[in-house]
Amino acid sequence: MIINFAERAHNHNWELDPVTRSLLDTDFYKLLMLQFIWKHFPNTHASFSVSSRSGGPVDTFKLEELTAQLDHARNLRFRKSELVWLAGNTFYGRRGIFEPAFLEWLEHDFRLSDYELSVRNGRFHLSFDGLWTDTTMWELYSLSIINELRTRTNLKRLREFGLDILYAKAKTKLWNKIERLRGVPRLSVADFGTRRRHSFLWQEYVVRAMAASLGQGFIGTSNAFLAHKHDLEAIGTNAHEIPMVLAALAPNDEALKQSQYKVLEMWQQTYDGALRIMLPDTFGTTQFLEGAPDYAANWTGQRIDSKDPYIAGDEYIEWVKARGRDPREKLIIASDALDVEEILGLHAYFGGTLARGVTPADFQSAADFENSRMWTAAPRIRFSAGWGTLLTNDFRGCDPTGDNGFDPISLISKVSTVEGRPAVKLSDNFAKALGPSEEIERYRRVFGTVGVNDVPIIA
């Protein structure tokens, strides 16, 4: 089905056009983490808050619009067909990842918590408080709702012809990116773009275009609803939220330092195989790897989020080698602010040997991988790209009026308190640190800052 985005936006007159069409319209890792929380922390309280790291305008729409969308999402329930899919589908080569008791709880007892929405100094303030099982799922729903309301507000500025131009430019931009990836040997790229997407329908269009054009090089989507609807692989494992919560619950500094490894222990008690992907940058990758238990080297691989992926990938390869494992059997997943140039460069760097004088930036399309004077295939490690914001929301330069209202912003929804204690994230980028300043300083004393840099936030 070809969607006329311009006509749909121009003729929009529904009383409520839901952003969140289903509770399955979330990243797959949230469902894996929800089962983990339900199993291990059913009585833990955790609050979440929404904020913008990039400082761009967020509240360009009416408070009532946001309230209506949040209320709609809060009243949704998992459908029978969705629960059957979760129960019977094969994920990461395994059937039955989700326990029957958990699925029973999802059907009968799962509810999103209430929310607190206010206006202070002319800006929206949105937070969620309650049991961790009830608040955690708001992360993706709140982000996709706010981003799409921003999109709809900007669409209202344009006449139908302007909307035609906007989407024609965006489609051309998307196609040019996809075309550069077509034919790249051993390509492995997934859609990670739910949280900051332009809209649900645009993400669906992008996912279908990727699947149709890249074949086996497109390995799936993090969006569980789209994976279910279009018979695609659901991609995702875990996120920073769990180590942030366990760190906040730690009674002292020693327990705080060890909490990051307690996460590994508990996760591997819950999941096995390909779901064992480390995310070591919550409090700094270098310190994490230095103190990690030996069994962590048996895990499938590592997701690289806030560190330069070239540096982080090399660091992980050397760490694996030092523990007597073969890095060619491991997997790294880059996922921070990727665009097609970074995907091509990283794929070349980790997937082969670059000729003398050739840099990763020299790889512009599949043809460069066929040029033996530039590159020979010799994988040092398996590489996969989780392509997010700049896949599903790259409308930069597409507005025919020249306005930048469609440009993506770095909107986040993160755990802020756990049982009344502040939650903190340090990351490998000083600019991404979250939490009260005094707690950030305490965490830096405990974990150190080796390998941490200060890098501008793109998306």
Side-chain angles (χ1 to χ4, degrees), residues 311-371:
I311 296 173
D314 282 340
E315 184 178 33
Y316 178 65
I317 287 172
E318 292 307 311
W319 180 82
V320 168
K321 286 180 178 178
R323 279 148 186 80
R325 275 70 160 190
D326 186 351
R328 292 172 298 181
E329 297 175 357
K330 301 299 179 182
L331 170 69
I332 52 172
I333 305 167
S335 62
D336 184 33
L338 294 184
D339 208 350
V340 64
E341 292 82 9
E342 290 78 22
I343 294 172
L344 288 167
L346 289 163
H347 186 75
Y349 184 76
F350 290 110
T353 302
L354 278 63
R356 186 185 298 274
V358 176
T359 71
D362 294 326
F363 290 81
Q364 298 296 310
S365 70
D368 295 323
F369 293 88
E370 298 169 0
N371 186 347

Short mmCIF file of all heavy atoms in Angstrom, two decimals, residues 311-371:
data_model
loop_
_atom_site.label_atom_id
_atom_site.label_comp_id
_atom_site.label_asym_id
_atom_site.label_seq_id
_atom_site.Cartn_x
_atom_site.Cartn_y
_atom_site.Cartn_z
N ILE A 311 36.71 3.39 18.25
CA ILE A 311 37.52 3.19 19.46
C ILE A 311 36.91 2.08 20.32
O ILE A 311 37.62 1.18 20.80
CB ILE A 311 37.62 4.50 20.26
CG1 ILE A 311 38.38 5.56 19.44
CG2 ILE A 311 38.29 4.27 21.61
CD1 ILE A 311 38.37 6.94 20.07
N ALA A 312 35.59 2.14 20.51
CA ALA A 312 34.93 1.15 21.35
C ALA A 312 35.02 -0.25 20.76
O ALA A 312 35.20 -1.24 21.50
CB ALA A 312 33.46 1.54 21.56
N GLY A 313 34.90 -0.37 19.45
CA GLY A 313 35.01 -1.68 18.81
C GLY A 313 36.40 -2.28 18.97
O GLY A 313 36.55 -3.46 19.30
N ASP A 314 37.42 -1.46 18.74
CA ASP A 314 38.79 -1.94 18.93
C ASP A 314 39.05 -2.33 20.38
O ASP A 314 39.72 -3.33 20.66
CB ASP A 314 39.78 -0.86 18.49
CG ASP A 314 39.95 -0.77 16.99
OD1 ASP A 314 39.63 -1.75 16.30
OD2 ASP A 314 40.40 0.28 16.50
N GLU A 315 38.51 -1.52 21.30
CA GLU A 315 38.69 -1.80 22.72
C GLU A 315 38.07 -3.15 23.09
O GLU A 315 38.67 -3.95 23.83
CB GLU A 315 38.05 -0.68 23.54
CG GLU A 315 38.23 -0.78 25.04
CD GLU A 315 37.60 0.39 25.77
OE1 GLU A 315 36.56 0.92 25.31
OE2 GLU A 315 38.15 0.79 26.82
N TYR A 316 36.89 -3.42 22.57
CA TYR A 316 36.21 -4.68 22.85
C TYR A 316 36.96 -5.86 22.24
O TYR A 316 37.09 -6.92 22.86
CB TYR A 316 34.77 -4.63 22.34
CG TYR A 316 33.99 -5.91 22.55
CD1 TYR A 316 33.71 -6.37 23.83
CD2 TYR A 316 33.56 -6.66 21.47
CE1 TYR A 316 33.00 -7.55 24.03
CE2 TYR A 316 32.84 -7.83 21.65
CZ TYR A 316 32.58 -8.27 22.93
OH TYR A 316 31.88 -9.44 23.13
N ILE A 317 37.46 -5.69 21.01
CA ILE A 317 38.21 -6.76 20.36
C ILE A 317 39.43 -7.15 21.19
O ILE A 317 39.71 -8.34 21.42
CB ILE A 317 38.62 -6.33 18.93
CG1 ILE A 317 37.40 -6.33 18.00
CG2 ILE A 317 39.70 -7.26 18.37
CD1 ILE A 317 37.66 -5.73 16.64
N GLU A 318 40.18 -6.15 21.66
CA GLU A 318 41.37 -6.43 22.46
C GLU A 318 40.99 -7.07 23.79
O GLU A 318 41.70 -7.95 24.30
CB GLU A 318 42.17 -5.14 22.69
CG GLU A 318 42.79 -4.59 21.42
CD GLU A 318 43.63 -5.63 20.69
OE1 GLU A 318 44.47 -6.29 21.34
OE2 GLU A 318 43.44 -5.79 19.46
N TRP A 319 39.87 -6.63 24.37
CA TRP A 319 39.40 -7.20 25.64
C TRP A 319 39.04 -8.68 25.46
O TRP A 319 39.38 -9.52 26.29
CB TRP A 319 38.20 -6.40 26.13
CG TRP A 319 37.62 -6.88 27.43
CD1 TRP A 319 38.07 -6.59 28.69
CD2 TRP A 319 36.47 -7.72 27.60
NE1 TRP A 319 37.27 -7.20 29.63
CE2 TRP A 319 36.29 -7.89 28.99
CE3 TRP A 319 35.57 -8.33 26.72
CZ2 TRP A 319 35.25 -8.66 29.52
CZ3 TRP A 319 34.54 -9.10 27.25
CH2 TRP A 319 34.39 -9.26 28.62
N VAL A 320 38.37 -9.00 24.36
CA VAL A 320 37.99 -10.39 24.07
C VAL A 320 39.23 -11.25 23.86
O VAL A 320 39.34 -12.37 24.40
CB VAL A 320 37.07 -10.44 22.83
CG1 VAL A 320 36.90 -11.88 22.34
CG2 VAL A 320 35.70 -9.84 23.15
N LYS A 321 40.19 -10.73 23.09
CA LYS A 321 41.43 -11.47 22.84
C LYS A 321 42.18 -11.75 24.14
O LYS A 321 42.71 -12.86 24.34
CB LYS A 321 42.34 -10.67 21.91
CG LYS A 321 41.92 -10.65 20.46
CD LYS A 321 42.93 -9.82 19.65
CE LYS A 321 42.59 -9.79 18.18
NZ LYS A 321 43.55 -8.93 17.43
N ALA A 322 42.23 -10.75 25.03
CA ALA A 322 42.97 -10.89 26.29
C ALA A 322 42.36 -11.97 27.18
O ALA A 322 43.04 -12.49 28.07
CB ALA A 322 43.00 -9.56 27.03
N ARG A 323 41.10 -12.31 26.92
CA ARG A 323 40.43 -13.35 27.70
C ARG A 323 40.35 -14.67 26.94
O ARG A 323 39.56 -15.55 27.29
CB ARG A 323 39.06 -12.85 28.14
CG ARG A 323 39.17 -11.97 29.38
CD ARG A 323 38.13 -10.88 29.44
NE ARG A 323 38.42 -10.02 30.59
CZ ARG A 323 39.36 -9.05 30.60
NH1 ARG A 323 40.07 -8.83 29.51
NH2 ARG A 323 39.58 -8.32 31.67
N GLY A 324 41.15 -14.80 25.91
CA GLY A 324 41.28 -16.07 25.21
C GLY A 324 40.12 -16.45 24.32
O GLY A 324 39.99 -17.62 23.94
N ARG A 325 39.28 -15.47 23.94
CA ARG A 325 38.17 -15.76 23.04
C ARG A 325 38.48 -15.19 21.65
O ARG A 325 39.29 -14.27 21.51
CB ARG A 325 36.86 -15.16 23.56
CG ARG A 325 36.12 -16.02 24.56
CD ARG A 325 36.83 -16.12 25.89
NE ARG A 325 35.93 -16.53 26.97
CZ ARG A 325 36.27 -16.51 28.25
NH1 ARG A 325 37.49 -16.07 28.62
NH2 ARG A 325 35.41 -16.90 29.18
N ASP A 326 37.79 -15.72 20.66
CA ASP A 326 37.99 -15.29 19.28
C ASP A 326 37.01 -14.17 18.95
O ASP A 326 35.79 -14.41 18.91
CB ASP A 326 37.77 -16.47 18.34
CG ASP A 326 38.10 -16.13 16.89
OD1 ASP A 326 38.34 -14.95 16.59
OD2 ASP A 326 38.12 -17.06 16.05
N PRO A 327 37.48 -12.94 18.73
CA PRO A 327 36.56 -11.83 18.45
C PRO A 327 35.76 -12.02 17.16
O PRO A 327 34.69 -11.41 17.01
CB PRO A 327 37.49 -10.61 18.36
CG PRO A 327 38.84 -11.16 18.07
CD PRO A 327 38.88 -12.50 18.75
N ARG A 328 36.24 -12.86 16.25
CA ARG A 328 35.50 -13.08 15.01
C ARG A 328 34.17 -13.80 15.26
O ARG A 328 33.28 -13.79 14.40
CB ARG A 328 36.35 -13.89 14.03
CG ARG A 328 37.57 -13.12 13.50
CD ARG A 328 38.48 -14.01 12.68
NE ARG A 328 39.01 -15.11 13.49
CZ ARG A 328 39.85 -16.04 13.04
NH1 ARG A 328 40.24 -16.00 11.77
NH2 ARG A 328 40.29 -17.00 13.83
N GLU A 329 34.03 -14.38 16.45
CA GLU A 329 32.79 -15.05 16.82
C GLU A 329 31.86 -14.11 17.60
O GLU A 329 30.75 -14.50 17.96
CB GLU A 329 33.09 -16.28 17.66
CG GLU A 329 33.90 -17.34 16.91
CD GLU A 329 34.29 -18.50 17.80
OE1 GLU A 329 33.98 -18.45 19.01
OE2 GLU A 329 34.90 -19.46 17.28
N LYS A 330 32.33 -12.90 17.87
CA LYS A 330 31.56 -11.93 18.66
C LYS A 330 30.87 -10.92 17.75
O LYS A 330 31.14 -10.83 16.55
CB LYS A 330 32.48 -11.21 19.66
CG LYS A 330 33.18 -12.14 20.64
CD LYS A 330 32.19 -12.91 21.49
CE LYS A 330 32.89 -13.85 22.46
NZ LYS A 330 31.92 -14.64 23.27
N LEU A 331 30.00 -10.13 18.36
CA LEU A 331 29.20 -9.15 17.62
C LEU A 331 29.28 -7.79 18.30
O LEU A 331 29.16 -7.70 19.53
CB LEU A 331 27.74 -9.62 17.57
CG LEU A 331 26.70 -8.63 17.04
CD1 LEU A 331 26.88 -8.40 15.54
CD2 LEU A 331 25.28 -9.14 17.34
N ILE A 332 29.49 -6.74 17.53
CA ILE A 332 29.32 -5.38 18.05
C ILE A 332 28.18 -4.72 17.29
O ILE A 332 28.01 -4.90 16.09
CB ILE A 332 30.60 -4.53 17.93
CG1 ILE A 332 31.16 -4.53 16.51
CG2 ILE A 332 31.64 -4.96 18.95
CD1 ILE A 332 32.31 -3.54 16.32
N ILE A 333 27.38 -3.97 18.04
CA ILE A 333 26.23 -3.25 17.47
C ILE A 333 26.42 -1.77 17.76
O ILE A 333 26.43 -1.37 18.93
CB ILE A 333 24.90 -3.74 18.08
CG1 ILE A 333 24.75 -5.25 17.92
CG2 ILE A 333 23.73 -3.00 17.44
CD1 ILE A 333 23.61 -5.83 18.76
N ALA A 334 26.62 -0.97 16.73
CA ALA A 334 26.71 0.48 16.90
C ALA A 334 25.31 1.07 16.76
O ALA A 334 24.54 0.64 15.90
CB ALA A 334 27.65 1.08 15.86
N SER A 335 24.99 2.08 17.62
CA SER A 335 23.60 2.54 17.61
C SER A 335 23.44 4.03 17.91
O SER A 335 22.32 4.50 18.05
CB SER A 335 22.78 1.74 18.63
OG SER A 335 23.29 1.94 19.94
N ASP A 336 24.53 4.78 18.01
CA ASP A 336 24.41 6.18 18.44
C ASP A 336 24.57 7.13 17.25
O ASP A 336 25.65 7.24 16.68
CB ASP A 336 25.46 6.50 19.51
CG ASP A 336 25.31 7.91 20.06
OD1 ASP A 336 24.16 8.39 20.14
OD2 ASP A 336 26.32 8.53 20.41
N ALA A 337 23.47 7.81 16.91
CA ALA A 337 23.49 8.88 15.89
C ALA A 337 24.09 8.43 14.57
O ALA A 337 24.78 9.19 13.89
CB ALA A 337 24.23 10.11 16.43
N LEU A 338 23.82 7.19 14.18
CA LEU A 338 24.37 6.68 12.92
C LEU A 338 23.63 7.26 11.72
O LEU A 338 22.43 7.52 11.76
CB LEU A 338 24.24 5.15 12.86
CG LEU A 338 25.05 4.31 13.85
CD1 LEU A 338 24.83 2.84 13.54
CD2 LEU A 338 26.53 4.66 13.81
N ASP A 339 24.38 7.45 10.65
CA ASP A 339 23.79 7.69 9.35
C ASP A 339 24.54 6.83 8.34
O ASP A 339 25.47 6.10 8.70
CB ASP A 339 23.85 9.17 8.98
CG ASP A 339 22.71 9.58 8.04
OD1 ASP A 339 22.00 8.68 7.55
OD2 ASP A 339 22.52 10.78 7.81
N VAL A 340 24.18 6.90 7.09
CA VAL A 340 24.70 5.97 6.09
C VAL A 340 26.22 6.03 5.99
O VAL A 340 26.88 5.00 5.80
CB VAL A 340 24.02 6.20 4.72
CG1 VAL A 340 24.34 7.57 4.16
CG2 VAL A 340 24.38 5.10 3.75
N GLU A 341 26.80 7.21 6.14
CA GLU A 341 28.26 7.33 6.05
C GLU A 341 28.95 6.53 7.15
O GLU A 341 29.94 5.83 6.90
CB GLU A 341 28.69 8.80 6.13
CG GLU A 341 28.28 9.66 4.96
CD GLU A 341 26.85 10.15 5.02
OE1 GLU A 341 26.21 9.95 6.09
OE2 GLU A 341 26.36 10.70 4.02
N GLU A 342 28.43 6.64 8.37
CA GLU A 342 29.03 5.90 9.49
C GLU A 342 28.83 4.39 9.32
O GLU A 342 29.72 3.61 9.65
CB GLU A 342 28.41 6.36 10.81
CG GLU A 342 28.80 7.76 11.26
CD GLU A 342 28.04 8.84 10.52
OE1 GLU A 342 26.95 8.55 9.98
OE2 GLU A 342 28.53 9.99 10.47
N ILE A 343 27.67 3.98 8.83
CA ILE A 343 27.41 2.55 8.63
C ILE A 343 28.39 1.96 7.63
O ILE A 343 28.98 0.91 7.85
CB ILE A 343 25.95 2.34 8.18
CG1 ILE A 343 24.99 2.74 9.30
CG2 ILE A 343 25.72 0.88 7.78
CD1 ILE A 343 23.53 2.76 8.89
N LEU A 344 28.60 2.65 6.52
CA LEU A 344 29.53 2.17 5.50
C LEU A 344 30.96 2.14 6.03
O LEU A 344 31.70 1.17 5.84
CB LEU A 344 29.46 3.07 4.26
CG LEU A 344 28.20 2.94 3.40
CD1 LEU A 344 28.11 4.09 2.41
CD2 LEU A 344 28.16 1.61 2.67
N GLY A 345 31.36 3.19 6.73
CA GLY A 345 32.72 3.27 7.24
C GLY A 345 33.01 2.21 8.29
O GLY A 345 34.06 1.55 8.26
N LEU A 346 32.09 2.02 9.21
CA LEU A 346 32.27 1.02 10.26
C LEU A 346 32.26 -0.39 9.69
O LEU A 346 33.02 -1.26 10.13
CB LEU A 346 31.18 1.18 11.32
CG LEU A 346 31.29 2.41 12.21
CD1 LEU A 346 29.98 2.69 12.92
CD2 LEU A 346 32.42 2.24 13.23
N HIS A 347 31.39 -0.61 8.72
CA HIS A 347 31.32 -1.93 8.08
C HIS A 347 32.65 -2.26 7.40
O HIS A 347 33.14 -3.40 7.49
CB HIS A 347 30.18 -1.96 7.07
CG HIS A 347 29.94 -3.30 6.46
ND1 HIS A 347 29.32 -4.32 7.13
CD2 HIS A 347 30.26 -3.79 5.23
CE1 HIS A 347 29.24 -5.39 6.36
NE2 HIS A 347 29.81 -5.09 5.19
N ALA A 348 33.23 -1.27 6.74
CA ALA A 348 34.52 -1.48 6.09
C ALA A 348 35.63 -1.71 7.12
O ALA A 348 36.47 -2.61 6.95
CB ALA A 348 34.87 -0.28 5.21
N TYR A 349 35.62 -0.93 8.18
CA TYR A 349 36.69 -0.97 9.17
C TYR A 349 36.73 -2.30 9.92
O TYR A 349 37.81 -2.88 10.12
CB TYR A 349 36.49 0.18 10.15
CG TYR A 349 37.58 0.32 11.19
CD1 TYR A 349 38.81 0.87 10.86
CD2 TYR A 349 37.36 -0.07 12.51
CE1 TYR A 349 39.82 1.01 11.81
CE2 TYR A 349 38.36 0.07 13.46
CZ TYR A 349 39.58 0.61 13.11
OH TYR A 349 40.57 0.74 14.06
N PHE A 350 35.57 -2.79 10.33
CA PHE A 350 35.55 -4.03 11.11
C PHE A 350 35.37 -5.28 10.24
O PHE A 350 35.63 -6.39 10.71
CB PHE A 350 34.43 -3.96 12.16
CG PHE A 350 34.72 -2.99 13.26
CD1 PHE A 350 33.99 -1.81 13.38
CD2 PHE A 350 35.73 -3.23 14.18
CE1 PHE A 350 34.26 -0.90 14.38
CE2 PHE A 350 36.01 -2.33 15.21
CZ PHE A 350 35.29 -1.15 15.30
N GLY A 351 34.94 -5.09 9.00
CA GLY A 351 34.66 -6.24 8.15
C GLY A 351 35.75 -6.62 7.19
O GLY A 351 35.59 -7.56 6.40
N GLY A 352 36.87 -5.90 7.21
CA GLY A 352 37.92 -6.22 6.26
C GLY A 352 39.19 -5.44 6.52
O GLY A 352 39.35 -4.80 7.56
N THR A 353 40.08 -5.48 5.54
CA THR A 353 41.36 -4.79 5.62
C THR A 353 41.37 -3.64 4.63
O THR A 353 41.15 -3.85 3.43
CB THR A 353 42.53 -5.75 5.31
OG1 THR A 353 42.49 -6.84 6.23
CG2 THR A 353 43.86 -5.03 5.44
N LEU A 354 41.61 -2.44 5.12
CA LEU A 354 41.68 -1.27 4.26
C LEU A 354 43.08 -1.15 3.67
O LEU A 354 44.08 -1.36 4.36
CB LEU A 354 41.35 0.00 5.05
CG LEU A 354 39.87 0.34 5.27
CD1 LEU A 354 39.17 -0.72 6.12
CD2 LEU A 354 39.73 1.70 5.94
N ALA A 355 43.15 -0.84 2.38
CA ALA A 355 44.44 -0.66 1.72
C ALA A 355 45.15 0.56 2.29
O ALA A 355 44.52 1.45 2.88
CB ALA A 355 44.24 -0.50 0.22
N ARG A 356 46.45 0.60 2.13
CA ARG A 356 47.23 1.72 2.63
C ARG A 356 46.71 3.04 2.05
O ARG A 356 46.50 3.16 0.84
CB ARG A 356 48.70 1.54 2.26
CG ARG A 356 49.64 2.59 2.86
CD ARG A 356 51.06 2.40 2.35
NE ARG A 356 51.59 1.10 2.74
CZ ARG A 356 52.19 0.86 3.91
NH1 ARG A 356 52.31 1.83 4.80
NH2 ARG A 356 52.66 -0.35 4.18
N GLY A 357 46.51 4.00 2.91
CA GLY A 357 46.04 5.31 2.47
C GLY A 357 44.53 5.44 2.38
O GLY A 357 44.01 6.54 2.17
N VAL A 358 43.80 4.34 2.52
CA VAL A 358 42.33 4.36 2.46
C VAL A 358 41.77 4.50 3.87
O VAL A 358 42.26 3.88 4.82
CB VAL A 358 41.79 3.07 1.80
CG1 VAL A 358 40.26 3.05 1.82
CG2 VAL A 358 42.30 2.95 0.38
N THR A 359 40.76 5.34 4.03
CA THR A 359 40.11 5.54 5.32
C THR A 359 38.67 5.08 5.26
O THR A 359 38.09 4.96 4.17
CB THR A 359 40.15 7.02 5.73
OG1 THR A 359 39.24 7.76 4.88
CG2 THR A 359 41.55 7.61 5.61
N PRO A 360 38.04 4.83 6.41
CA PRO A 360 36.61 4.43 6.40
C PRO A 360 35.72 5.44 5.69
O PRO A 360 34.72 5.06 5.07
CB PRO A 360 36.28 4.34 7.89
CG PRO A 360 37.57 3.99 8.55
CD PRO A 360 38.62 4.74 7.77
N ALA A 361 36.07 6.71 5.75
CA ALA A 361 35.25 7.74 5.11
C ALA A 361 35.26 7.64 3.59
O ALA A 361 34.41 8.24 2.91
CB ALA A 361 35.73 9.13 5.53
N ASP A 362 36.20 6.88 3.04
CA ASP A 362 36.28 6.73 1.58
C ASP A 362 35.23 5.78 1.03
O ASP A 362 35.03 5.71 -0.19
CB ASP A 362 37.67 6.21 1.18
CG ASP A 362 38.77 7.23 1.46
OD1 ASP A 362 38.49 8.43 1.34
OD2 ASP A 362 39.88 6.80 1.84
N PHE A 363 34.54 5.04 1.88
CA PHE A 363 33.56 4.07 1.42
C PHE A 363 32.20 4.74 1.28
O PHE A 363 31.58 5.15 2.27
CB PHE A 363 33.50 2.88 2.38
CG PHE A 363 34.74 2.03 2.32
CD1 PHE A 363 35.89 2.40 3.01
CD2 PHE A 363 34.77 0.89 1.53
CE1 PHE A 363 37.04 1.64 2.93
CE2 PHE A 363 35.92 0.12 1.44
CZ PHE A 363 37.06 0.50 2.14
N GLN A 364 31.77 4.88 0.03
CA GLN A 364 30.55 5.62 -0.27
C GLN A 364 29.41 4.75 -0.80
O GLN A 364 28.26 5.18 -0.81
CB GLN A 364 30.86 6.70 -1.31
CG GLN A 364 31.87 7.74 -0.83
CD GLN A 364 31.35 8.56 0.34
OE1 GLN A 364 30.23 9.08 0.29
NE2 GLN A 364 32.13 8.65 1.41
N SER A 365 29.72 3.53 -1.22
CA SER A 365 28.69 2.64 -1.77
C SER A 365 29.24 1.23 -1.87
O SER A 365 30.41 0.98 -1.56
CB SER A 365 28.25 3.13 -3.16
OG SER A 365 29.28 2.92 -4.11
N ALA A 366 28.40 0.31 -2.34
CA ALA A 366 28.81 -1.10 -2.48
C ALA A 366 29.99 -1.25 -3.44
O ALA A 366 30.81 -2.15 -3.27
CB ALA A 366 27.62 -1.93 -2.96
N ALA A 367 30.09 -0.38 -4.42
CA ALA A 367 31.17 -0.48 -5.40
C ALA A 367 32.54 -0.39 -4.75
O ALA A 367 33.50 -1.04 -5.21
CB ALA A 367 31.02 0.62 -6.46
N ASP A 368 32.66 0.37 -3.68
CA ASP A 368 33.96 0.51 -3.01
C ASP A 368 34.40 -0.79 -2.34
O ASP A 368 35.59 -1.04 -2.18
CB ASP A 368 33.90 1.64 -1.98
CG ASP A 368 33.68 3.00 -2.63
OD1 ASP A 368 34.23 3.22 -3.72
OD2 ASP A 368 32.94 3.82 -2.05
N PHE A 369 33.43 -1.61 -1.94
CA PHE A 369 33.76 -2.89 -1.32
C PHE A 369 34.19 -3.93 -2.36
O PHE A 369 34.80 -4.94 -2.02
CB PHE A 369 32.57 -3.42 -0.52
CG PHE A 369 32.24 -2.58 0.70
CD1 PHE A 369 31.38 -1.50 0.61
CD2 PHE A 369 32.81 -2.88 1.93
CE1 PHE A 369 31.09 -0.73 1.72
CE2 PHE A 369 32.52 -2.12 3.05
CZ PHE A 369 31.67 -1.03 2.94
N GLU A 370 33.86 -3.67 -3.61
CA GLU A 370 34.26 -4.57 -4.70
C GLU A 370 35.61 -4.19 -5.28
O GLU A 370 36.16 -4.92 -6.11
CB GLU A 370 33.19 -4.53 -5.80
CG GLU A 370 31.83 -5.03 -5.33
CD GLU A 370 30.74 -4.75 -6.35
OE1 GLU A 370 31.06 -4.16 -7.42
OE2 GLU A 370 29.57 -5.09 -6.09
N ASN A 371 36.16 -3.06 -4.83
CA ASN A 371 37.42 -2.56 -5.34
C ASN A 371 38.57 -3.11 -4.50
O ASN A 371 38.79 -2.68 -3.37
CB ASN A 371 37.42 -1.03 -5.31
CG ASN A 371 38.65 -0.42 -5.95
OD1 ASN A 371 39.63 -1.11 -6.23
ND2 ASN A 371 38.60 0.88 -6.19
#
